[in-house]
Amino acid sequence: MSANILLTRIDNRLVHGQVGVTWTKSIGANLILVANDEAASNPLQQKLMSTTADSSGAGIRFFSLEKTIKIINRAADRQKIFIVVKTPEDARKLVEGGVPIREINVGNMHFSQGKKEVTKKVYVDENDIKSLLFLSNSGIDVYIEDYPGDKKFPVNENLFK
C-alpha cells in the first residue's frame, strides 16, 4: 500500500499563500508535507508556513528528506498528501529513495547567477535540468504550471533547447 500523494510541487518559497491555499484546495489535499532539511529544523519558518496551511484547512508537517523517505509509506489512507520541496534535486532524492511520486508541478524557481529563463517564474541551471529530466524520464508527469488551470508546460528535452 503506498501513500496517497496527490501532487508534489517544487517551489523555492515552499509554502506561501498561493501554495498553501490555492493548490491545496484545488487538489483536495488534507495534509501538506514540506520535505526540506532546513525547514524541518527551523521553528520560525514552520510557524509562518503553518499559518498559511491553517487558512486552507489542511494539516502541515515538516520532515527532512530522509525522514520523508523513511515514513511516507506509513501514511494513513485518509491522508491526501501534497508534498512541497524546494528544488528539483530534492524531488529527485525523494523519488530515488522510493517515495511514490507520480506527478510533479514545477512552480517557482527564482533567478540566480548561472540560471536561464524557462518561463517567467522558472529559471534553471544544468543541475536543475538534469534532475527535472531524470524525473520526467522516470515516468513521472512533470510540468511547469504557475497556478491551477494555468497553461502547462510539459518538462522534456525540448523545453530546455
Side-chain angles (χ1 to χ4, degrees), residues 92 95 102 104 106 128-143 153-160:
R92 179 178 181 157
V95 169
R102 294 182 302 276
I104 297 177
V106 182
D128 296 328
I129 292 171
K130 274 190 195 124
S131 290
L132 288 167
L133 290 177
F134 168 86
L135 294 162
S136 172
N137 294 333
S138 300
I140 298 169
D141 180 16
V142 186
Y143 55 88
F153 297 90
V155 169
N156 54 41
E157 281 83 1
N158 298 330
L159 186 64
F160 305 114

Side-chain angles (χ1 to χ4, degrees), residues 27-40:
I27 63 174
N30 59 18
L31 179 65
I32 301 169
L33 196 169
V34 177
N36 180 266
D37 294 345
E38 189 189 333

